[in-house]
């Protein structure tokens, strides 16, 4: 009877042990699946962070290129403004030279007319002196 009882207890313990082992195996499989899912989630998160970092780097590079293009355009505009201003100054200088030339010609014309008038007056005076009547 004691041997039977011991055998029953042994069978029950073995059965209990097998059940416990099966339960632990299921828990281990669940934990393994959860760990794999968590690892996949971490990998996705890391990949997404890497993608965002790449996109940030691309955006910064694009912004830097745009800033360089803007600076070059502004420099070219300033160069053109300088060239336009220089051209304008040359035009003004040419115009001033022409006005000075015109003023000199006008003065020479007036001087010539005045000299001609003086000569005519002198001739008239000479005629009057030589011909008093």
């Amino acid at each position: 009877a004691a041997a039977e009882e011991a055998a029953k207890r042994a069978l029950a313990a073995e059965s209990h042990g097998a059940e416990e082992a099966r339960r632990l195996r299921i828990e281990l499989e669940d934990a393994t699946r959860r760990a794999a899912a968590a690892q996949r989630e971490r990998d996705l998160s890391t990949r997404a962070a890497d993608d965002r970092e790449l996109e940030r780097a691309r955006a910064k590079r694009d912004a830097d290129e745009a800033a360089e293009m803007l600076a070059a355009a502004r420099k070219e505009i300033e160069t053109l403004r300088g060239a336009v201003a220089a051209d304008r100054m040359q035009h003004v200088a040419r115009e001033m030279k022409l006005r000075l030339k015109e003023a000199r010609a006008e003065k020479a014309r007036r001087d010539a007319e005045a000299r001609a008038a003086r000569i005519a007056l002198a001739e008239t005076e000479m005629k009057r002196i030589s011909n008093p009547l």
Side-chain angles (χ1 to χ4, degrees):
E4 274 182 37
E5 190 60 34
K8 280 183 186 177
R9 275 200 309 266
L11 270 176
E14 190 178 308
S15 171
H16 178 70
E19 191 174 304
E20 183 67 16
R22 189 173 65 77
R23 189 184 62 74
L24 289 173
R25 195 169 43 255
I26 289 170
E27 280 183 26
L28 177 63
E29 288 170 359
D30 284 349
T32 303
R33 277 194 299 276
R34 284 193 304 273
Q39 184 61 45
R40 281 192 303 276
E41 193 65 34
R42 279 192 300 275
D43 290 348
L44 286 174
S45 178
T46 301
R47 199 170 308 126
D50 291 348
D51 289 348
R52 284 190 304 274
E53 186 59 35
L54 280 173
E55 189 56 36
R56 267 195 295 279
R58 277 190 210 111
K60 184 182 180 334
R61 186 190 68 230
D62 291 348
D64 290 347
E65 287 175 3
E68 287 174 15
M69 287 171 36
L70 179 61
R74 285 182 175 160
K75 185 176 180 182
E76 189 173 342
I77 288 169
E78 286 305 313
T79 301
L80 289 173
R81 281 183 181 159
V84 166
D87 189 46
R88 218 178 284 139
M89 287 173 63
Q90 286 178 346
H91 177 72
V92 167
R94 265 187 257 120
E95 188 177 340
M96 288 174 70
K97 284 179 187 175
L98 289 173
R99 285 186 182 176
L100 182 60
K101 200 175 195 180
E102 182 183 33
R104 284 181 181 156
E106 182 64 29
K107 184 179 183 319
R109 184 189 62 77
R110 284 193 313 265
D111 288 351
E113 286 176 354
R115 193 168 60 248
R118 282 193 308 272
I119 291 171
L121 183 63
E123 284 177 358
T124 304
E125 193 61 33
M126 289 295 281
K127 286 180 185 177
R128 192 177 59 78
I129 290 173
S130 60
N131 240 342
L133 296 175

